[in-house]
Amino acid sequence: MARIELDEKEQKAIESSVMEIRKILKKRNADLTGIVGTVSLEKVKSTKDAIEVRFEEDVDLMVQMNMVAFD
Amino acid sequence: MYYIYGVDHCVKLIYCLAKAHNTNLDSSSFETLRLGYLDFLDARQKKNSVNRKDDIFIRDDEAELALASSFSQASLNDLNQEHVVGDSYERSTRDAKLVMAENALSELIAKEEDLGLVFGLTIHSIFVRSYQSAPGIMASHGGSSSGSIGAIWLAVNDGITERDLMEMYVHEMTHHLLFIDELNSPQFNYEELTKKENFTTSAILKRPRPLDKVVHSIVVSTELILSRLRTFGWHDALSFHPATLDMQQSTLTAIRELESKPNADDLMSAHMLSIVADCKGALETNQLEIVA
């Protein structure tokens, strides 16, 4: 199994991928309020409407999408 | 989506789903936001088997089967896609493939922390299964289904490398972010999409396919090119994806064909057309001259 060359910093950063993801989520918590604080109630309402439309399409028109990587 | 629009945009898309589902959503941390998003998937996607464990790699036969079953038949699934996911690997083979998949994800996150944040929010399951080998079914390396948002299937075929898998994560995460985007803003006129006269040439496979597949291939290809420019630094063809310049040319060709359709406005929403235009803009920048 071929591996790619990592520099020292990257090699050091590699731990269990799952642990690493959890660490990133925790480390970045301080950013979250600033990110979602800019989302308006109108935007959430429009998402709520879009969700209903999409699931109706899924049921009525059978438009579930399988995206398979071929070749 | 991640490379075109950035980490904040992707977080907001997920937040809107979770908040629309639960107005009392606890968004004080990414972990509670993730749980709110999983609650949404659990409630709205009946075929989806949502994994709430810390370990996103599926090692349980029952959970693996449930996820594989989500690739079901539907009106827009061309190329026998509902039959592509094959049988389980023998356990020791599966474990070896999972280790390789896990190493590739670690390397990807180490290279691109923001992508790790978006991946960690979006993807709850990665399962490994063979592809179905049968007449009329093309070989496959894995995939995703809108019926199972947050779950990625990897075949991890013999001969593939961790570079291939890192690109596969970018590829599949893009499909999931497009599925999530569509739950925020309608993308397609599905009644028109199933008609053969509305098929167009895809960016990666370069064959006539339903327009939703083509648009996804345009966005995936754009994200892959940007990931090679900003994160990976390689540009030769790998097992799954062509060389960067070839991908750029075929993607721009696919965009031009799409734009030339007189009824493009009827097939896609203004929102989806703007995403395609943003892909075109990203591909026409001078950055790609460096690759040449």
Side-chain angles (χ1 to χ4, degrees), chain A:
Chain A
M1 292 177 182
R3 295 180 60 88
I4 65 163
E5 293 300 316
L6 297 174
D7 63 34
E8 198 179 40
K9 191 180 164 197
E10 287 171 342
Q11 189 66 52
K12 206 174 171 183
I14 290 178
E15 295 179 9
S16 152
S17 55
V18 175
M19 289 299 293
E20 188 60 28
I21 284 172
R22 294 285 162 269
K23 273 171 59 181
I24 294 170
L25 293 181
K26 202 170 178 181
K27 190 171 100 181
R28 301 289 291 276
N29 276 339
D31 302 338
L32 184 58
T33 308
I35 296 171
V36 301
T38 60
V39 178
S40 67
L41 284 175
E42 287 74 23
K43 175 69 192 93
V44 175
K45 169 73 172 59
S46 103
T47 294
K48 199 168 187 172
D49 295 342
I51 289 167
E52 296 310 324
V53 169
R54 184 66 185 94
F55 283 115
E56 268 176 38
E57 287 168 339
D58 240 357
V59 173
D60 297 342
L61 302 172
M62 274 192 57
V63 289
Q64 177 195 317
M65 294 182 207
N66 294 336
M67 294 293 175
V68 171
F70 288 113
D71 269 347

Side-chain angles (χ1 to χ4, degrees), chain B residues 11-267:
Chain B
V11 171
K12 284 178 191 174
L13 290 176
I14 291 169
Y15 168 78
C16 285
L17 293 190
K19 185 74 175 172
H21 176 66
N22 177 8
T23 50
N24 297 317
L25 174 76
D26 176 359
S27 55
S28 60
S29 71
F30 280 105
E31 187 55 28
T32 58
L33 172 57
R34 190 178 82 90
L35 293 174
Y37 159 70
L38 296 182
D39 287 344
F40 163 78
L41 293 179
D42 227 355
R44 297 308 301 258
Q45 292 213 290
K46 300 304 176 195
K47 289 182 199 160
N48 199 346
S49 174
V50 175
N51 172 27
R52 289 171 181 276
K53 293 178 186 163
D54 278 343
D55 191 357
I56 60 176
F57 291 93
I58 303 300
R59 302 163 208 277
D60 171 73
D61 294 344
E62 207 173 307
E64 186 191 299
L65 177 62
L67 289 165
S69 305
S70 65
F71 284 74
S72 56
Q73 195 171 15
S75 58
L76 283 166
N77 288 330
D78 63 338
L79 308 176
N80 284 313
Q81 293 192 60
E82 64 272 22
H83 301 301
V84 175
V85 185
D87 293 330
S88 288
Y89 289 114
E90 188 257 326
R91 180 156 294 191
S92 61
T93 305
R94 180 178 72 185
D95 289 348
K97 290 177 185 295
L98 281 171
V99 166
M100 190 179 180
E102 189 160 1
N103 286 341
L105 183 59
S106 293
E107 292 180 18
L108 176 61
I109 294 166
K111 285 181 172 294
E112 188 76 25
E113 183 179 295
D114 278 356
L115 190 148
L117 177 72
V118 175
F119 194 95
L121 269 181
T122 312
I123 305 301
H124 57 75
S125 298
I126 297 169
F127 70 102
V128 171
R129 268 203 168 206
S130 65
Y131 70 86
Q132 177 102 287
S133 179
I137 298 179
M138 293 171 70
S140 176
H141 297 290
S144 299
S145 171
S146 67
S148 190
I149 294 176
I152 293 174
W153 161 49
L154 296 176
V156 197
N157 297 319
D158 290 343
I160 72 149
T161 66
E162 286 177 10
R163 281 188 179 199
D164 291 315
L165 287 172
M166 281 192 272
E167 288 204 344
M168 192 70 171
Y169 287 132
V170 172
H171 182 138
E172 296 307 324
M173 188 178 82
T174 303
H175 285 310
H176 288 273
L177 289 169
L178 277 168
F179 296 148
I180 290 166
D181 175 84
E182 186 173 27
L183 289 166
N184 278 272
S185 307
Q187 295 175 345
F188 301 108
N189 176 351
Y190 282 108
E191 292 199 82
E192 291 296 312
L193 252 52
T194 51
K195 296 176 183 168
K196 285 265 185 198
E197 64 263 32
N198 289 327
F199 281 26
T200 178
T201 310
S202 65
I204 296 175
L205 273 184
K206 300 177 195 171
R207 56 189 293 170
R209 303 196 67 194
L211 193 121
D212 62 314
K213 308 291 180 295
V214 176
V215 170
H216 269 247
S217 80
I218 287 169
V219 182
V220 164
S221 179
T222 304
E223 288 280 302
L224 284 167
I225 290 167
L226 295 177
S227 74
R228 287 178 175 185
L229 286 165
R230 296 183 197 166
T231 306
F232 298 132
W234 58 67
H235 295 287
D236 293 335
L238 298 185
S239 302
F240 310 152
H241 303 121
T244 304
L245 279 177
D246 290 344
M247 261 200 297
Q248 182 205 15
Q249 281 170 9
S250 59
T251 307
L252 285 170
T253 301
I255 292 171
R256 286 185 201 114
E257 186 180 336
L258 202 69
E259 287 176 339
S260 71
K261 286 189 89 63
N263 61 342
D265 292 357
D266 297 332
L267 302 175

